Amino acid sequence: MQKDSEDKTKAPSLGGFAFGSTSTSIFGSTAAANNGERDSLCRAFNESLSKVKATSSTVKKEDKPSFTFTGAQPVGKLECQWRDVEWTEEQKTTLMKTVSSYRPSIKDVTKARVLLLGPVGSGKSSFISSVQSVFDGRVTNRAMVGSTSTSFTKKSFSIRGQKGEDPNRLVLCDVMGLGNGEMTGLTLHDTLSIIKGHVPEGHKFSPDQPVSSETVGYVKRPGLNEKIHCVAFVVNASKIMSCPKGLSTTFQQLREHISDLGVHQVALLTHIDQICPETAKDVAEVYKSRIIQDMMTKAGALLGMSTSYIVPVKNYSSELDLDVSTDILLLGAVDHILQYADLYFQDNTPQFDECV
């Protein structure tokens, strides 16, 4: 990990997360190499991921290796849910009260700040809009960070409470995806700067201008209120089978850096209705679906984390009305996130020596 005082413009890249360099993200298509060089370039690229060395090797999008899984696609439905969930209005009300009544366990911290990280199209912005929709009582869409420019903004959304109630103590931070097409994605250095609390709200990221002490609005000594308290990785269930081979290594190395900061991590598996017809018809079937259960395992392998940290969700997209089962999944995901944010607060609670 690079120190804040070091020159970020010449530091090495990490599997598409460049420390302020202009290297292309692993999610994007890159310049072509001839067929005879392709295998050696792939080996060099994979070696650079583990050794954190700079690399300029590139591979054609159509020749990009995939993160593949073996085994036949599971079929059929389980008799019992593999996670115990009640799909009732009462359960939805209980979860809403749990989320609304949440307060950080450290007195001086006003809200739990959660950073959503994932590739473009994973469903980060849609998740924020969907969670807010539950509390608004109708489907609403919030402004997206945007994914069509190489300059993108950090934007934080405070989740409003139900009408007439106090705001929830939850802030979901959205940034552009980790990379897409010809664009350079969010760099590792800037990602860690966000988590450390150095990046001001509304900051526009640029691959050739990494966050530094010279950045306008740079927070030199962030307190707990400015730092990220939990990171939620967002993965599109319909795209896991076609993920680039290096994505797994990138996710896992990124997770190691985040763990070094003492920040807990969870994951959201989105677009579950696109991989399971039964769940598309009825979201309450999610925990009886062998397909989704299998995809949860694959998501765990991709991220390098136990499936106990991963929750499936369905975001609102084309719907005009709320659905109780969808709301329960979304609220359950928020409750899951807040539990791990609270572990961060427990880890960082000031300790006082007892009087003897």
Side-chain angles (χ1 to χ4, degrees):
M1 188 182 302
Q2 302 296 314
K3 295 182 179 179
D4 290 341
S5 61
E6 292 178 353
D7 181 5
K8 307 298 187 303
T9 61
K10 297 181 180 179
S13 64
L14 177 59
F17 291 93
F19 288 77
S21 73
T22 56
S23 61
T24 304
S25 166
I26 62 169
F27 296 102
S29 59
T30 56
N34 63 43
N35 292 336
E37 296 174 330
R38 188 175 302 127
D39 292 341
S40 61
L41 288 174
C42 288
R43 285 195 297 271
F45 177 73
N46 289 330
E47 289 175 0
S48 71
L49 289 169
S50 59
K51 297 178 181 178
V52 200
K53 291 181 178 179
T55 178
S56 59
S57 300
T58 53
V59 184
K60 287 182 179 179
K61 182 178 181 180
E62 60 268 28
D63 294 327
K64 183 168 53 180
S66 297
F67 183 67
T68 57
F69 300 90
T70 58
Q73 183 81 347
V75 294
K77 188 170 67 173
L78 299 169
E79 292 185 7
C80 300
Q81 296 186 118
W82 43 277
R83 281 183 181 168
D84 188 19
V85 177
E86 293 182 11
W87 306 99
T88 63
E89 284 281 0
E90 291 75 16
Q91 177 65 7
K92 174 183 172 180
T93 300
T94 298
L95 285 169
M96 290 186 76
K97 288 181 179 179
T98 299
V99 173
S100 298
S101 62
Y102 172 81
R103 298 292 183 273
S105 56
I106 297 181
K107 183 179 179 181
D108 294 335
V109 178
T110 56
K111 295 184 177 184
R113 299 180 62 82
V114 179
L115 177 63
L116 303 180
L117 285 179
V120 171
S122 58
K124 303 185 305 299
S125 298
S126 295
F127 176 72
I128 296 172
S129 293
S130 297
V131 171
Q132 187 59 71
S133 294
V134 178
F135 287 94
D136 287 347
R138 58 188 177 86
V139 177
T140 55
N141 290 304
R142 306 196 70 162
M144 296 179 66
V145 168
S147 58
T148 59
S149 171
T150 54
S151 178
F152 44 95
T153 306
K154 172 197 171 189
K155 197 166 185 179
S156 301
F157 295 93
S158 294
I159 301 301
R160 301 185 300 270
Q162 290 180 277
K163 189 174 181 179
E165 293 187 359
D166 294 334
N168 293 307
R169 301 300 178 94
L170 172 66
V171 174
L172 297 176
C173 300
D174 192 13
V175 291
M176 188 181 177
L178 301 180
N180 184 43
E182 298 294 336
M183 298 179 294
T184 301
L186 189 67
T187 65
L188 174 61
H189 165 69
D190 285 353
T191 301
L192 298 180
S193 294
I194 296 171
I195 296 171
K196 293 176 184 177
H198 294 304
V199 181
E201 182 66 13
H203 171 74
K204 288 189 175 182
F205 296 95
S206 177
D208 15 349
Q209 293 182 337
V211 174
S212 71
S213 57
E214 303 302 316
T215 298
V216 176
Y218 182 84
V219 183
K220 294 184 178 180
R221 296 180 179 83
L224 282 179
N225 270 313
E226 289 80 31
K227 295 181 179 181
I228 292 296
H229 309 129
C230 180
V231 170
F233 288 97
V234 186
V235 181
N236 186 335
S238 68
K239 295 182 179 180
I240 287 181
M241 300 299 286
S242 59
C243 283
K245 188 175 182 180
L247 178 56
S248 179
T249 304
T250 298
F251 269 137
Q252 293 179 38
Q253 290 189 350
L254 176 58
R255 290 190 59 239
E256 289 178 8
H257 284 274
I258 296 174
S259 294
D260 288 342
L261 298 178
V263 177
H264 297 277
Q265 302 146 57
V266 298
L268 308 176
L269 184 68
T270 61
H271 297 86
I272 55 173
D273 52 312
Q274 294 183 14
I275 64 169
C276 177
E278 293 300 320
T279 302
K281 295 177 185 176
D282 182 3
V283 177
E285 297 294 316
V286 57
Y287 288 123
K288 288 185 179 180
S289 170
R290 294 180 187 273
I291 296 174
I292 293 176
Q293 185 182 44
D294 180 66
M295 201 58 68
M296 290 276 287
T297 301
K298 290 176 170 58
L302 176 69
L303 293 164
M305 63 169 58
S306 167
T307 54
S308 62
Y309 296 99
I310 307 172
V311 289
V313 295
K314 179 187 180 300
N315 293 330
Y316 286 111
S317 54
S318 60
E319 299 85 354
L320 296 178
D321 300 310
L322 297 179
D323 170 73
V324 173
S325 298
T326 300
D327 291 350
I328 289 172
L329 268 191
L330 289 164
L331 290 167
V334 173
D335 183 45
H336 182 71
I337 289 170
L338 289 175
Q339 289 179 40
Y340 283 93
D342 212 52
L343 285 179
Y344 177 90
F345 295 133
Q346 293 176 32
D347 294 341
N348 290 275
T349 299
Q351 301 294 320
F352 300 98
D353 294 333
E354 295 182 1
C355 296
V356 179

